[in-house]
Amino acid sequence: MTTITTRDGTEIFYKDWGPRDAQPIMFHHGWPLSSDDWDGQMMFFLDQGYRVIAHDRRGHGRSTQAATGHDMDTYVADVVALTDALDLKNAIHIGHSTGGGEVARYVAQAKPGRVARAVLVSAVAPLMVKTDGNPNGVPMEVFDGVREQTATNRAQFYLDFTLPFYGYNREGADVKEGVRRNWWRQGMMGGVLAHYHGIAAFSETDFTEDLKKIAVPTLVMHGEDDQVVPFANAGALSAQIVPGAVLKSYPGYPHGMPTTHADQINADLLAFIKG
């Protein structure tokens, strides 16, 4: 496997496909998945002539099931280590869900010349959990429930979670069992400890100041029927905070729209990248 080793000894698995002199696109996956969740996008953009990169976050997929570092700052430090190792310049960074928060924080502090564009897809930014300053957020009790189920009932919880994730619980949905099983496969490859602590990382991290600092062209994409990261308190707000951001919302699309609606999402991503 292709890996880098971070300062604390964690091995980060990554894929790096395509011409080394082509513009790089780096994909950042959501919780509790792996770089495999971007298969449809990586194959599409590889065919378009881009260099495509994706990594498994620490504790996820094929990366080390580290005991520590399951917080957003460490996630981003791992991304810095990988982008430095690959010397990625003028890169497009695309993040889904938790990966969208990771992109926001990475891009906000990236070295000059490293990032050309950013895309936040169904992203957890600016802040998921309900607080006094974020009264429309998701109540903490919801995330406590996710924590409990992850710690004690992970296999069944993950399988059940695929239904709202892909909108397969909606009337008339075209349910694909292979997609559900692939989500479950990715989730169960990772470590339960990393997934447990990662819930706080994606739900309690406030990305507001990161979004304000983004200084590259940014596209915010979000499904209006997202049952995991509600559109009104996420994509709609992020697009208002990022200077000059473009918002594309999708009526009826679920959280997992890069998979369920890959053709449309890929086309819109390509248009933004070329624009």
Side-chain angles (χ1 to χ4, degrees):
M1 297 195 304
T2 307
T3 64
I4 62 159
T5 302
T6 66
R7 291 180 180 178
D8 69 353
T10 299
E11 291 189 348
I12 302 295
F13 168 83
Y14 69 93
K15 307 171 187 180
D16 184 0
W17 305 338
R20 293 301 179 267
D21 59 349
Q23 185 172 27
I25 303 176
M26 184 165 175
F27 296 93
H28 305 246
H29 67 79
W31 178 95
L33 304 174
S34 74
S35 56
D36 293 353
D37 201 42
W38 288 111
D39 283 355
Q41 284 67 46
M42 291 187 70
M43 293 297 289
F44 175 83
F45 282 101
L46 182 65
D47 190 55
Q48 295 291 324
Y50 292 90
R51 178 183 178 184
V52 293
I53 300 110
H55 71 297
D56 291 356
R57 191 170 297 117
R58 65 169 53 215
H60 296 64
R62 289 140 293 204
S63 292
T64 301
Q65 291 194 15
T68 60
H70 308 298
D71 58 86
M72 193 55 62
D73 286 339
T74 306
Y75 293 165
V76 171
D78 293 344
V79 172
V80 171
L82 178 56
T83 56
D84 284 353
L86 298 180
D87 196 25
L88 298 185
K89 297 175 181 176
N90 195 38
I92 297 110
H93 284 265
I94 301 174
H96 177 252
S97 197
T98 301
E102 186 175 89
V103 166
R105 182 150 294 182
Y106 170 76
V107 172
Q109 59 186 249
K111 300 173 185 176
R114 290 288 187 187
V115 180
R117 292 174 181 261
V119 185
L120 310 180
V121 185
S122 310
V124 296
L127 174 63
M128 282 200 73
V129 72
K130 181 178 181 179
T131 64
D132 290 343
N134 187 40
N136 296 318
V138 179
M140 180 63 81
E141 303 86 77
V142 173
F143 299 114
D144 287 341
V146 175
R147 265 183 281 269
E148 180 182 4
Q149 288 295 306
T150 298
T152 65
N153 188 35
R154 188 167 66 132
Q156 188 60 50
F157 175 64
Y158 281 7
L159 186 60
D160 295 341
F161 193 69
T162 61
L163 296 173
F165 191 96
Y166 292 116
Y168 286 164
N169 57 348
R170 297 306 196 201
E171 185 177 356
D174 180 15
V175 179
K176 291 183 168 59
E177 286 300 322
V179 169
R180 297 186 64 200
R181 293 180 188 184
N182 188 45
W183 196 102
W184 186 89
R185 174 192 67 85
Q186 291 178 66
M188 296 305 293
M189 283 174 64
V192 65
L193 182 66
H195 293 173
Y196 181 87
H197 288 302
I199 295 162
F202 75 68
S203 65
E204 298 175 45
T205 303
D206 190 340
F207 298 97
T208 303
E209 295 305 312
D210 302 295
L211 296 172
K212 292 178 181 178
K213 294 175 184 176
I214 294 177
V216 298
T218 301
L219 174 63
V220 178
M221 311 171 81
H222 215 112
E224 294 181 15
D225 192 32
D226 191 324
Q227 300 172 66
V228 178
V229 181
F231 166 71
N233 203 47
L237 285 183
S238 291
Q240 294 175 19
I241 298 170
V242 178
V246 174
L247 172 65
K248 284 192 72 69
S249 61
Y250 300 83
Y253 280 26
H255 189 63
M257 64 183 187
T259 297
T260 59
H261 296 80
D263 289 348
Q264 184 65 60
I265 298 304
N266 290 349
D268 290 345
L269 285 170
L270 182 62
F272 171 71
I273 289 169
K274 288 188 170 182

